[in-house]
């Protein structure tokens, strides 16, 4: 709780508070206007849809009316003059007052096929289907008529064809067009009725909202001006101090209403934030120590000393090529361990890392160590936390193969199943009995800083769960005398999943690596 003289000082500075009640009233007004805005948008959309539908129907009717008035007359005239020899099929292009029957049929079919694509009501579509069928029939009859004219001497049969078939077909087509116009007119009436219903509904809803919102606004303004001004100012002052980093700030409100409850919760929150900040700082220190401990665990001084000794022996034994190979392998091992401070590397790089590690260890334990790496190349580009497999391989060597006292095999496999990756390190070493397996399982499920044994495995398991969730991690199978198998399940990702905070983690990792290099 802040001191009384500080409270008086804050109360004197109330004129500096930026969180004014006027802004609150403006916010309430804007909220009240949202329903009207929503209704207006709804009305505009409805009007737009109606206008679009109405214009489409009018356009359809205009096209249909044009053909209703002109098609039959033009078709009958053209065919009759062709039968009586006034014009031939090839001469229609030069006859300005006549149109080719085929051109008329083609234009009619094209227009009404287009109308069928945009027509929605069922009845109109049925008459369009009938019309298109009649057009096809008419075209066939015209073909017959043109063929008879070319043969010659069929004037009477051609006139009969006109009277008995073609004129009837053009009449049917005209009837189809008229029925289509009739049902399109009905659709226009339905659209108009729908619009009228929507407008009536809108007027009723708008009137009710105006009444309710007017009453609500009056009550809200009265409540704001009489009961919330001072408590909110006090809260805003305290919040402003906290936003500037003063976590000792508290709000002293004695209005004995909801704002007082809010002030109490605010004070509780400020206290919790203060506690959490301290805890986060402590956790960052612990995380830094854990990072350093991880590097120390992985870069084992004995491993380094033994490797350097092996290099010396190779040089003294006049085997410079093998000594150079081991130096290169050791350099590659450390390069991949450090990874420029990155927390995530590709599975290809992780494979290179454990391969370098095993190549070095094979020089030392050539009489007891065999290994095979079977990682599917298709998963090489997926991301994985660095130093994920090496602790498992080290565990298999030192706690499995080494105590077997005979030649042993370590197998590393990696596959993708569904959306997840499965990486397994298996050995045929001494294995564990049920009690040892349960104890190890408990150890790796605890935070690594609390483990008494198996830190490397616990560290890997904790990092996987921290990045991907509790459903991921490692599973261990082991049997005394038969060996141990550890499988890691992680999601298959190609993008680096490190959070923005990972930058800080990377910085810490780089510092740890620098200290390790020292």
């Amino acid at each position: 709780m802040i001191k009384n003289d500080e409270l008086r000082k804050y109360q004197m500075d109330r004129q500096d508070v930026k969180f004014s009640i006027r802004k609150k009233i403006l916010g309430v007004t804007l909220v009240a206007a949202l329903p009207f805005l929503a209704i207006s948008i709804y009305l505009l959309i409805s009007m737009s849809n109606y206008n679009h539908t109405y214009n489409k129907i009018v356009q359809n009717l205009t096209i249909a009316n044009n053909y209703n008035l002109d098609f039959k007359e033009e078709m009958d005239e053209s065919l009759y003059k062709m039968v009586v020899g006034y014009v031939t099929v090839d001469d229609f292009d030069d006859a300005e007052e006549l149109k080719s029957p085929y051109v008329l049929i083609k234009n009619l079919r094209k227009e009404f096929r287009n109308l069928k694509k945009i027509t929605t009501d069922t009845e109109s579509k049925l008459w369009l289907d009938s019309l298109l069928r009649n057009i096809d029939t008419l075209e066939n009859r015209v073909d017959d008529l043109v063929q008879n004219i070319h043969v010659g001497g069929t004037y009477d049969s051609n006139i009969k064809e006109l009277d008995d078939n073609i004129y009837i077909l053009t009449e049917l087509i005209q009837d189809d067009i008229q029925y289509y116009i009739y049902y399109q007119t009905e659709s226009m009436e339905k659209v108009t009725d729908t619009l009228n219903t929507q407008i009536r509904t809108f007027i009723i809803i708008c009137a009710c909202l105006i009444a309710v919102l007017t009453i609500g606004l009056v009550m809200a303004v009265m409540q704001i001006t009489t009961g919330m001004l001072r408590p909110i100012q006090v809260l805003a002052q305290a919040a402003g101090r906290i936003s500037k980093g003063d976590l000792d700030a508290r709000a002293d409100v004695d209005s004995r209403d909801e704002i007082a409850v809010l002030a109490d919760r605010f004070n509780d929150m400020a206290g919790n934030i203060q506690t959490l900040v301290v805890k986060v700082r402590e956790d960052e220190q612990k995380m830094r120590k854990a990072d350093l401990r991880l590097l120390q665990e992985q870069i084992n001084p004995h491993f380094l000393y033994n490797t350097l000794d092996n290099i010396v022996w190779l040089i003294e034994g006049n085997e410079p090529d093998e000594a150079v190979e081991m130096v290169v392998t050791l350099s590659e091992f450390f390069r991949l361990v450090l990874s420029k401070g990155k927390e995530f590397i590709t599975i290809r790089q992780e494979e290179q890392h454990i391969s370098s590690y095993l190549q070095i260890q094979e020089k030392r334990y050539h009489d007891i160590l065999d290994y095979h790496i079977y990682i599917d190349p298709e998963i090489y580009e997926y991301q994985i936390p660095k130093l994920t497999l090496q602790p498992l391989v080290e565990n298999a060597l030192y706690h499995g193969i080494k105590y077997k006292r005979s030649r042993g095999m370590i197998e590393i496999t990696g596959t993708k199943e569904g959306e997840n990756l499965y990486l397994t390190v298996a050995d045929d070493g001494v294995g564990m009995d049920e009690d040892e397996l349960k104890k190890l399982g408990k150890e790796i499920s605890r935070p690594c800083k609390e483990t008494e044994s198996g830190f490397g495995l616990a560290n890997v398991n904790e990092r996987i769960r921290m990045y991907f969730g509790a459903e991921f991690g490692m599973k261990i199978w082991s049997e005394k005398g038969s060996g141990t198998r550890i499988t890691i399940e992680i999601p298959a990702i190609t993008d680096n999943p490190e959070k923005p905070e990972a930058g800080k983690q990377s910085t810490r990792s780089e510092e740890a690596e620098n200290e390790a290099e020292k």
Side-chain angles (χ1 to χ4, degrees):
M1 186 67 65
I2 60 175
K3 298 180 180 179
N4 292 334
D5 55 344
E6 291 179 335
L7 259 180
R8 286 193 294 272
K9 180 181 178 181
Y10 297 148
Q11 291 172 348
M12 293 175 62
D13 294 337
R14 290 165 95 182
Q15 64 271 18
D16 296 332
V17 175
K18 296 181 180 180
F19 183 58
S20 67
I21 195 64
R22 293 179 181 177
K23 292 182 179 180
K24 186 68 176 181
I25 294 174
L26 179 60
V28 173
T29 303
L30 291 175
V31 171
L34 288 178
F36 294 105
L37 179 62
I39 293 175
S40 299
I41 293 174
Y42 169 77
L43 181 62
L44 289 174
I45 293 174
S46 299
M47 292 290 292
S48 176
N49 291 336
Y50 168 79
N51 184 63
H52 176 72
T53 305
Y54 186 88
N55 288 339
K56 184 170 65 175
I57 294 175
V58 170
Q59 182 181 3
N60 296 350
L61 290 174
T62 301
I63 295 172
N65 272 320
N66 289 337
Y67 281 96
N68 183 48
L69 295 174
D70 301 329
F71 177 78
K72 176 175 175 55
E73 181 180 345
E74 292 177 347
M75 176 63 73
D76 291 348
E77 181 181 4
S78 297
L79 291 174
Y80 176 78
K81 290 186 177 180
M82 187 172 65
V83 169
V84 299
Y86 178 61
V87 65
T88 65
V89 174
D90 299 328
D91 295 333
F92 276 105
D93 293 337
D94 299 329
E96 296 180 356
E97 69 279 8
L98 295 176
K99 294 183 180 179
S100 170
Y102 289 105
V103 173
L104 291 172
I105 290 173
K106 178 182 178 182
N107 292 338
L108 181 66
R109 181 185 285 117
K110 177 182 178 182
E111 290 292 343
F112 280 87
R113 279 180 176 174
N114 292 334
L115 288 181
K116 184 179 178 181
K117 292 179 181 178
I118 60 176
T119 300
T120 56
D121 64 290
T122 305
E123 290 293 336
S124 296
K125 283 188 174 182
L126 290 176
W127 287 105
L128 285 176
D129 290 336
S130 174
L131 185 147
L132 292 172
R133 288 194 299 271
N134 288 331
I135 290 174
D136 293 338
T137 304
L138 177 62
E139 187 175 31
N140 293 333
R141 299 288 78 77
V142 171
D143 289 339
D144 295 339
L145 188 64
V146 170
Q147 185 176 3
N148 290 338
I149 292 173
H150 281 306
V151 172
T154 58
Y155 175 80
D156 292 335
S157 62
N158 290 342
I159 292 296
K160 182 176 178 57
E161 179 73 14
L162 284 175
D163 293 334
D164 294 345
N165 288 320
I166 294 178
Y167 290 163
I168 294 175
L169 283 171
T170 55
E171 184 71 25
L172 289 175
I173 290 173
Q174 189 174 40
D175 290 342
D176 291 337
I177 295 174
Q178 290 174 351
Y179 277 111
Y180 172 79
I181 293 172
Y182 171 79
Y183 284 107
Q184 283 290 287
T185 304
E186 280 193 346
S187 296
M188 185 183 297
E189 292 176 356
K190 291 178 182 179
V191 172
T192 303
D193 291 340
T194 301
L195 178 64
N196 292 334
T197 301
Q198 291 176 343
I199 291 175
R200 286 194 296 268
T201 303
F202 170 80
I203 293 173
I204 295 171
I205 294 175
C206 187
C208 293
L209 281 176
I210 289 174
V212 172
L213 292 175
T214 301
I215 297 173
L217 281 174
V218 172
M219 295 178 63
V221 171
M222 290 177 61
Q223 183 68 19
I224 290 172
T225 55
T226 58
M228 295 182 63
L229 180 58
R230 179 186 173 279
I232 289 178
Q233 287 177 331
V234 173
L235 281 171
Q237 290 171 350
R241 291 182 60 194
I242 289 180
S243 68
K244 294 178 182 179
D246 183 7
L247 298 180
D248 292 324
R250 300 292 183 271
D252 185 23
V253 176
D254 56 356
S255 58
R256 297 183 181 181
D257 57 9
E258 290 81 1
I259 303 301
V261 175
L262 178 61
D264 291 338
R265 300 295 181 268
F266 175 87
N267 293 335
D268 293 341
M269 180 188 68
N272 292 335
I273 290 175
Q274 193 170 21
T275 302
L276 288 172
V277 168
V278 174
K279 188 176 184 300
V280 167
R281 288 172 181 168
E282 294 175 352
D283 288 344
E284 286 180 348
Q285 294 291 333
K286 292 178 181 178
M287 182 64 74
R288 174 176 172 79
K289 292 178 182 178
D291 289 342
L292 292 174
R293 186 180 175 190
L294 172 63
L295 290 174
Q296 291 168 357
E297 182 77 13
Q298 302 305 326
I299 309 174
N300 194 317
H302 294 291
F303 168 70
L304 179 59
Y305 298 155
N306 292 331
T307 304
L308 293 176
D309 284 341
N310 286 338
I311 294 172
V312 171
W313 295 339
L314 289 172
I315 294 173
E316 291 178 347
N318 197 26
E319 298 182 36
D321 292 339
E322 291 192 19
V324 170
E325 181 182 353
M326 183 171 286
V327 170
V328 172
T329 304
L330 183 63
S331 173
E332 180 69 13
F333 174 83
F334 279 109
R335 184 183 68 81
L336 291 169
V337 166
L338 297 177
S339 301
K340 298 181 180 179
K342 294 187 295 184
E343 292 293 332
F344 278 77
I345 60 176
T346 64
I347 291 180
R348 182 195 301 275
Q349 292 172 315
E350 184 74 3
E351 182 188 51
Q352 293 170 354
H353 174 240
I354 58 174
S355 178
S356 299
Y357 176 81
L358 286 169
Q359 287 175 26
I360 294 171
Q361 293 289 30
E362 189 181 29
K363 297 293 184 181
R364 181 182 179 192
Y365 299 106
H366 60 87
D367 55 337
I368 64 170
L369 175 62
D370 286 326
Y371 69 89
H372 290 291
I373 301 176
Y374 304 104
I375 294 180
D376 189 347
E378 292 184 359
I379 69 173
Y380 274 165
E381 301 308 316
Y382 289 106
Q383 295 282 325
I384 185 174
K386 72 175 182 180
L387 298 177
T388 294
L389 293 179
Q390 193 270 343
L392 277 64
V393 174
E394 182 176 333
N395 182 77
L397 174 60
Y398 285 105
H399 298 285
I401 302 300
K402 189 174 180 181
Y403 289 106
K404 184 179 180 182
R405 302 190 181 279
S406 62
R407 197 163 193 84
M409 171 67 70
I410 297 177
E411 291 188 353
I412 300 100
T413 60
T415 58
K416 179 175 182 290
E417 297 180 15
E419 299 299 323
N420 295 333
L421 302 178
Y422 295 88
L423 304 170
T424 300
V425 176
D427 65 78
D428 58 357
V430 296
M432 293 176 283
D433 58 28
E434 187 175 351
D435 292 337
E436 291 174 325
L437 184 60
K438 287 182 178 179
K439 182 179 179 181
L440 180 60
K442 290 180 180 179
E443 288 293 320
I444 67 171
S445 64
R446 299 166 59 189
C448 63
K449 58 180 175 290
E450 299 177 6
T451 57
E452 298 178 359
S453 61
F455 170 78
L457 300 183
N459 190 285
V460 172
N461 197 46
E462 184 177 359
R463 286 189 295 138
I464 289 174
R465 293 189 173 190
M466 179 179 65
Y467 282 114
F468 304 121
E471 66 271 22
F472 297 100
M474 65 172 61
K475 296 180 181 179
I476 303 177
W477 175 91
S478 184
E479 184 176 346
K480 197 70 174 179
S482 298
T484 302
R485 183 176 65 250
I486 303 178
T487 298
I488 291 177
E489 179 184 1
I490 61 173
I493 55 174
T494 54
D495 296 327
N496 193 320
E498 296 180 55
K499 302 293 189 295
E501 291 80 2
K504 300 179 181 178
Q505 297 174 353
S506 297
T507 301
R508 290 197 297 270
S509 297
E510 291 174 355
E511 293 173 353
E513 290 170 357
N514 292 334
E515 293 184 13
E517 291 174 349
K518 293 177 182 178

